[in-house]
Amino acid sequence: MIFKKIIAAFLVLLCASAFAQENLIVNTHNRKQVSLNGTWHYIIDPYETGFYNYRYTEKGEKDPEAYWNNPEPHGKTDRKEHGYSDDYTIQVPGDWNSQDDVFKYYEGTVWYQRDFDKPKLEENERLFLYFGAVNYEAHVYLNGKKLGMHKGGFTPFNFEVPQELLQDKGNFLVVKVDNKRHADEVPTLNTDWWNYGGITRDVKLVITPQNFIQQYALHLEQSQDIEKAKKRKKFTISGHFKLNSASEEKITIEIPEIGLKEKVDISGSEASFNFDAKKLELWSPKNPKLYEVKFSLGENTLTDKIGFRKVEVSGKDVLLNGEKIFMRGICIHEEIAPEIRRATNTADAHKLLGWAKELNANMVRLAHYPHNEYMTRAADSLGILVWSEIPVYWTINFKSDAVLEKAKKQLDEMIIRDQNKASVVIWSVGNETPVSEARTEFMKNLVMHAKEKDDTRMISAALEVGYNRGTNYIDDPLGEYTDIVSVNEYLGWYGDLPHAKVKSKWETAYNKPLFFSETGAGSKGGFHADKETRWSEEFQEWYFEETLKMMENMPDNYMGLAPWILVDFRSPKRNNPKYQEGWNRKGLIDDKGNKKKAFYTLKEYYDKKEKEFEEK
Ligand code: GCB
């Protein structure tokens, strides 16, 4: 019996840590749940005393001094050197850095703890503990037992809660969170953003039936001729299901608004399907139409709101629902600057995307990691195209298979979570990775992996510009594998002055759509001077004027841009004591929320581009 229990515990652990994405539950917003957001206790533990004994080996499960345990002292003679107290509390979701001065620059381990009562469960219902994200490494313990661990600071994970572990009242939940940077992680040691630590996204108990739809994809079949489909008013919808366990039952898909009801046969625990749908209104930025969709397995129904659209590359163009588009983009970090914290909720998402809308953008590049799901849900409903990226940033260890596996896992988790968001049109596998054979092999592997998982989106990566006899030449070998060629350019900021831009020549080695995934210059909001004075709003405005003139001379595969960046953001690399003070100042909006002059320069260009495309 004990042997069986050990094996079962081992299997739970193995599945939980190594294959978290296989078990990932999607669309948790619309499932039965109990939120565990709110006030938690914490212990700061830079030496990891709660985890290792004094010989630096992991503490035994029952060790009373392990911080996942917290026995009451038996009496006054008892020695006790840790504890959770109401004097040390922290809010979840949220980064720790913004919550107390002791955390401002902290990188290391913090233990989080809270109690919860067992929710009321119907017969056969199951319980999963779901985390929207924890940066970076999380070890999760319930009533002294380890449920599992997860690495990756921006993607969700969940562990099943074995019911025999639960008490009716006061279940003791502990999460060891460690945000130390390491050379062999994703991202690696060096980034140009703040390493906010903590349980940065929602935590909840998800209650499911015995068997349930764990993951699904539902979209327009990519191979259909969309022009013909539009003319005939008959579209093919396809997708797949992954159940938690094998079932003989059929799954019913309903879209009540168009009177659609289809049954899908399951063999084992997975099924692929396709069927026709009439009268479908397609999703686009102009008409972000979402349909209520109901998926039923037996008695249980899960609802979602899904938009249907087709995005594809056709020669040098990107087509959305068969029509050529121009991406009026802007890059965004997941940060609320005036409060110096991570964005965590719907209001935050609407604030950031609201600014993007004011700019008349129709697209956002969510840099440089998957943002929280409120962002992609809001983008779906507001009609904003999304570029979503994994943090394969700069100098990842491209020679390591283990690092490649870590990157793939984050890619899987990103895709699985958001594959039903019509707004997400680009998966990006990285940013400014330095060209080498090992790098290209690594990145190609990620591109192929993303394509295999999802053929309904374009795959890209932000590349760097090469130079060839006076020409800005985009020839990074990775461009051969991506669907669109995206590049970051800073001519006039990191080299030369902005007036050099108009005369610059641009060429690409690839006959594919060309997208500028970054361009930008720093300015301190409210600092005014002549245009040649660095850090002034006038310099940044000038940079944008020259950049936008330069764009008019681009080759005809130019199909959009996402300048760097919507709002100033925290970065430990930016230490000019007068103008930066720990902020990357390339925002079009400053850290107080004020729009800089360049905001309006870009907006004017976007208004013009919008008209130009409407008139075509
Ligand atoms: C880049 C990076 C971005 C930086 C930006 C800058 O090329 O992709 O993460 O923050 O430049 O400000 O230099």
Side-chain angles (χ1 to χ4, degrees):
M1 186 62 192
I2 285 200
F3 181 65
K4 256 191 177 168
K5 271 195 171 166
I6 293 173
I7 297 273
F10 175 71
L11 283 178
V12 166
L13 247 180
L14 190 78
C15 295
S17 52
F19 309 110
Q21 71 276 15
E22 297 278 311
N23 295 319
L24 191 61
I25 300 174
V26 302
N27 186 11
T28 59
H29 290 86
N30 291 311
R31 298 185 193 250
K32 202 168 155 187
Q33 62 193 277
V34 176
S35 169
L36 295 182
N37 289 347
T39 304
W40 291 52
H41 301 114
Y42 73 85
I43 302 174
I44 307 183
D45 187 17
Y47 286 20
E48 306 203 293
T49 305
F51 194 77
Y52 296 110
N53 63 24
Y54 81 126
R55 296 300 185 218
Y56 214 65
T57 52
E58 190 171 336
K59 285 184 164 155
E61 193 174 74
K62 297 229 153 20
D63 187 334
E65 296 189 13
Y67 288 12
W68 54 85
N69 294 317
N70 191 26
E72 287 293 318
H74 290 305
K76 66 180 184 185
T77 58
D78 252 17
R79 180 181 58 80
K80 192 154 188 268
E81 300 203 41
H82 81 280
Y84 295 97
S85 146
D86 286 348
D87 292 336
Y88 296 90
T89 59
I90 190 163
Q91 294 303 310
V92 170
D95 60 88
W96 62 52
N97 311 68
S98 59
Q99 297 200 40
D100 193 305
D101 267 357
V102 295
F103 289 119
K104 190 164 175 191
Y105 292 95
Y106 184 67
E107 293 188 307
T109 285
V110 174
W111 296 81
Y112 280 66
Q113 188 279 333
R114 68 163 284 162
D115 291 339
F116 69 87
D117 295 341
K118 182 178 173 178
K120 284 204 181 70
L121 299 179
E122 308 289 331
E123 211 186 312
N124 288 331
E125 275 185 334
R126 293 164 67 182
L127 205 54
F128 291 82
L129 185 55
Y130 177 93
F131 293 84
V134 175
N135 189 33
Y136 174 83
E137 183 173 325
H139 294 247
V140 180
Y141 305 86
L142 182 63
N143 295 334
K145 288 254 179 271
K146 189 165 189 170
L147 296 184
M149 75 89 103
H150 178 267
K151 280 185 179 191
F154 304 98
T155 44
F157 58 96
N158 48 257
F159 304 123
E160 178 152 21
V161 177
Q163 302 212 9
E164 60 279 11
L165 214 63
L166 282 179
Q167 303 150 189
D168 284 344
K169 297 254 169 249
N171 291 287
F172 190 76
L173 175 62
V174 174
V175 186
K176 175 184 183 289
V177 183
D178 182 0
N179 75 332
K180 279 194 291 296
R181 289 165 294 124
H182 296 282
D184 277 3
E185 295 297 335
V186 182
T188 178
L189 294 167
N190 197 21
T191 66
D192 187 19
W193 71 81
W194 202 263
N195 182 25
Y196 287 108
I199 303 181
T200 49
R201 298 187 188 161
D202 294 341
V203 183
K204 49 184 126 173
L205 291 165
V206 177
I207 300 165
T208 71
Q210 186 59 31
N211 194 10
F212 60 96
I213 300 167
Q214 186 128 8
Q215 300 168 2
Y216 55 89
L218 187 76
H219 45 73
L220 287 186
E221 165 56 36
Q222 188 66 18
S223 63
Q224 76 197 290
D225 180 330
I226 197 73
E227 288 298 351
K228 265 196 201 148
K230 283 197 302 197
K231 262 190 215 121
R232 279 188 290 165
K233 294 202 170 69
K234 191 166 137 198
F235 300 89
T236 307
I237 290 181
S238 63
H240 64 262
F241 286 110
K242 184 176 181 305
L243 300 186
N244 178 264
S245 47
S247 170
E248 300 288 294
E249 271 178 286
K250 288 183 194 304
I251 293 179
T252 310
I253 306 175
E254 284 172 87
I255 308 180
E257 198 180 326
I258 54 167
L260 182 142
K261 188 168 184 175
E262 291 285 335
K263 285 196 186 302
V264 175
D265 280 322
I266 293 275
S267 74
S269 60
E270 306 220 13
S272 295
F273 56 84
N274 66 65
F275 50 80
D276 288 338
K278 290 182 184 149
K279 298 183 283 187
L280 213 51
E281 246 179 74
L282 299 184
W283 184 98
S284 72
K286 279 247 158 336
N287 180 29
K289 172 73 191 165
L290 300 175
Y291 286 95
E292 186 186 61
V293 182
K294 294 182 176 178
F295 304 103
S296 306
L297 176 68
E299 310 268 273
N300 300 295
T301 299
L302 177 66
T303 60
D304 200 351
K305 284 196 156 179
I306 298 182
F308 297 93
R309 54 97 185 109
K310 181 176 176 182
V311 64
E312 66 193 309
V313 168
S314 167
K316 295 174 178 180
D317 298 326
V318 171
L319 309 182
L320 179 68
N321 303 329
E323 284 163 32
K324 183 172 165 176
I325 54 164
F326 183 83
M327 290 194 186
R328 311 187 305 270
I330 188 72
C331 293
I332 304 183
H333 262 300
E334 189 190 56
E335 192 176 61
I336 297 299
E339 294 165 49
I340 317 185
R341 63 167 175 85
R342 279 261 174 256
T344 60
N345 54 42
T346 307
D348 291 346
H350 280 267
K351 180 174 188 100
L352 294 168
L353 295 178
W355 274 329
K357 279 253 167 200
E358 275 185 60
L359 189 62
N360 198 12
N362 63 2
M363 183 264 183
V364 290
R365 175 180 176 214
L366 302 183
H368 282 297
Y369 38 77
H371 287 210
N372 66 59
E373 201 175 347
Y374 294 110
M375 276 300 262
T376 47
R377 284 165 63 90
D380 255 18
S381 64
L382 293 170
I384 298 180
L385 303 167
V386 171
W387 160 310
S388 183
E389 181 164 303
I390 49 169
V392 172
Y393 183 90
W394 291 351
T395 54
I396 294 288
N397 183 355
F398 297 107
K399 292 194 174 136
S400 159
D401 289 342
V403 174
L404 178 61
E405 284 316 305
K406 289 173 195 172
K408 270 191 188 162
K409 184 168 161 287
Q410 293 188 34
L411 184 58
D412 281 340
E413 289 167 350
M414 171 174 79
I415 293 175
I416 291 168
R417 192 195 75 182
D418 275 350
Q419 63 191 334
N420 293 305
K421 310 282 194 303
S423 56
V424 180
V425 288
I426 298 169
W427 298 128
S428 163
V429 295
N431 180 74
E432 293 184 351
T433 52
V435 179
S436 76
E437 231 171 80
R439 181 302 303 234
T440 303
E441 203 42 45
F442 185 107
M443 299 302 282
K444 176 182 160 191
N445 223 302
L446 292 178
V447 171
M448 296 308 167
H449 189 74
K451 280 181 186 285
E452 197 183 297
K453 293 275 158 180
D454 182 3
D455 68 351
T456 66
R457 291 177 172 85
M458 304 178 292
I459 314 297
S460 199
L463 309 178
E464 289 180 314
V465 182
Y467 296 93
N468 183 14
R469 282 174 280 130
T471 301
N472 297 285
Y473 194 54
I474 301 156
D475 62 345
D476 183 323
L478 184 56
E480 196 177 322
Y481 308 105
T482 57
D483 296 316
I484 63 174
V485 174
S486 306
V487 356
N488 297 349
E489 82 81 30
Y490 284 91
L491 184 62
W493 177 255
Y494 286 125
D496 226 321
L497 284 171
H499 59 67
K501 299 196 95 146
V502 195
K503 288 172 273 152
S504 64
K505 293 199 173 63
W506 289 81
E507 272 178 56
T508 56
Y510 306 104
N511 194 24
K512 296 180 180 184
L514 170 64
F515 182 72
F516 284 85
S517 33
E518 286 179 30
T519 180
S523 78
K524 171 116 193 228
F527 171 48
H528 296 286
D530 63 86
K531 69 179 186 187
E532 283 178 10
T533 305
R534 277 222 189 224
W535 306 112
S536 69
E537 285 199 31
E538 287 69 18
F539 185 101
Q540 190 191 33
E541 179 186 42
W542 179 37
Y543 177 96
F544 270 85
E545 283 164 4
E546 299 301 316
T547 303
L548 301 172
K549 274 187 232 159
M550 176 185 87
M551 291 302 174
E552 296 306 295
N553 300 329
M554 282 298 153
D556 63 355
N557 53 345
Y558 166 57
M559 49 63 65
L561 72 165
W564 192 254
I565 186 170
L566 185 66
V567 193
D568 288 354
F569 62 98
R570 296 285 291 160
S571 168
K573 299 176 84 67
R574 306 294 174 172
N575 294 316
N576 180 307
K578 196 160 175 201
Y579 301 112
Q580 292 179 309
E581 300 169 284
W583 292 87
N584 183 315
R585 295 287 185 198
K586 297 192 188 72
L588 298 177
I589 297 176
D590 73 11
D591 59 304
K592 308 278 183 295
N594 301 315
K595 296 183 181 94
K596 302 180 193 170
K597 287 182 137 185
F599 182 97
Y600 300 99
T601 316
L602 185 61
K603 179 177 163 30
E604 201 179 298
Y605 177 74
Y606 281 171
D607 290 347
K608 191 183 92 190
K609 277 285 168 196
E610 186 188 23
K611 263 212 196 104
E612 221 177 272
F613 266 73
E614 262 166 21
E615 279 159 17
K616 266 183 197 165

